[in-house]
Every structure is written in C-alpha cells, then in structure tokens.
Amino acid sequence: MSELSAQQRQQFKQRLEERFRQLREEIGQELLNSEDPYYQQLAGTVHDTEEESVADLLLDLNLADIDRHVQEIRQVEVALNRIESGSYGVCTDCGVPIDSKRLEASPAAPRCIECQTLYEQRYTQPGHPSL
Ligand SMILES: [Zn+2]
C-alpha cells in the first residue's frame, strides 16, 4: 500500500465533486417532489448553496428517502475537505493508507476495509439504523 499521487488525488477530487453535484440535484428534486412548501423552498436553497454545507442544511429533515442521499453527500463533503487538508486516502480510524482500489470503488470511503467492517458490525444491527 502506498500513498496517493497528486494525479490520483486530483482524479478522486473530480469524481467527488461530480458526485456532489449529482446528489445535490437528486436531493433538490426529492424536496421539490414533496408536498410540503417548506421543503420546496429548501430545494431552492440547496440548489444555490455553494459554500455552506448542504448536509448540515438538511440534517434535521429526517425524510427517509432523502436521508440516504444526505448521508452520502455528507461523506462526499468530508472527503473533499480531506483532499483540501491533505488527509484524504488515509483511514480515519487506524491512519493507514486506504487501498487505492477501494477508493476507486468508493472515493468517499473514510476507512480502510478492516475498520469499515468493524464499524459496520458495531453500528449496523437489526432494528438499529446505521449512521
Ligand atoms: Zn483502518
């Protein structure tokens, strides 16, 4: 295992930014589809938001459909921040470089496979929604 090259980092950054825009579109669309005028208004805010955290904005909504996307967009945001700060590609739990094949498959992955498995065992239990 080795650290990512600047070129790889740049590629992951582009993919993450792309995914971010996609998710933002989907979330905006789901908000628009809801009956609630407040959500429809939020859809406009989400669409116009560049700097602020989209995930933070949506955190309190607690809509099942959107929730999944909000969780993913939050992960993408964290990954993009980590690219900026230079800590991208390193497992948040054990500090070991994450295998680049794993990052290819899921660029927003915050953990190495071992730590992710442990994490899921700990937090994904029946009747206990994962975070
Ligand atoms: Zn790890």
Side-chain angles (χ1 to χ4, degrees):
M1 292 215 233
S2 60
E3 299 195 14
L4 298 172
S5 68
Q7 195 191 3
Q8 279 175 311
R9 216 187 311 266
Q10 189 58 31
Q11 279 170 0
F12 286 126
K13 185 180 177 194
Q14 279 171 9
R15 282 184 57 191
L16 285 163
E17 283 171 344
E18 176 109 344
R19 186 68 187 135
F20 183 85
R21 282 191 293 269
Q22 253 177 26
L23 283 166
R24 197 172 57 178
E25 282 299 309
E26 285 174 28
I27 291 169
Q29 207 52 50
E30 282 163 358
L31 288 171
L32 278 178
N33 289 342
S34 76
E35 305 284 300
D36 194 319
Y38 174 67
Y39 292 159
Q40 294 180 353
Q41 185 199 331
L42 261 184
T45 313
V46 169
H47 191 261
D48 297 338
T49 298
E50 290 293 340
E51 299 294 324
E52 292 161 74
S53 169
V54 172
D56 283 351
L57 204 63
L58 300 166
L59 211 55
D60 298 329
L61 289 189
N62 206 17
L63 293 174
D65 286 351
I66 296 179
D67 226 38
R68 230 169 349 111
H69 287 136
V70 171
Q71 281 175 26
E72 189 181 348
I73 205 170
R74 200 197 293 160
Q75 273 200 343
V76 170
E77 277 182 350
V78 169
L80 282 167
N81 286 336
R82 296 184 75 209
I83 286 179
E84 291 306 318
S85 69
S87 60
Y88 179 74
V90 174
C91 175
T92 53
D93 286 8
C94 70
V96 158
I98 301 171
D99 190 52
S100 61
K101 285 198 184 65
R102 170 163 167 72
L103 290 172
E104 293 282 351
S106 46
R111 295 179 189 83
C112 70
I113 285 178
E114 286 81 4
C115 292
Q116 184 63 37
T117 307
L118 282 175
Y119 181 84
E120 281 170 10
Q121 282 169 357
R122 209 174 312 153
Y123 292 100
T124 317
Q125 280 150 17
H128 193 89
S130 75
L131 277 176

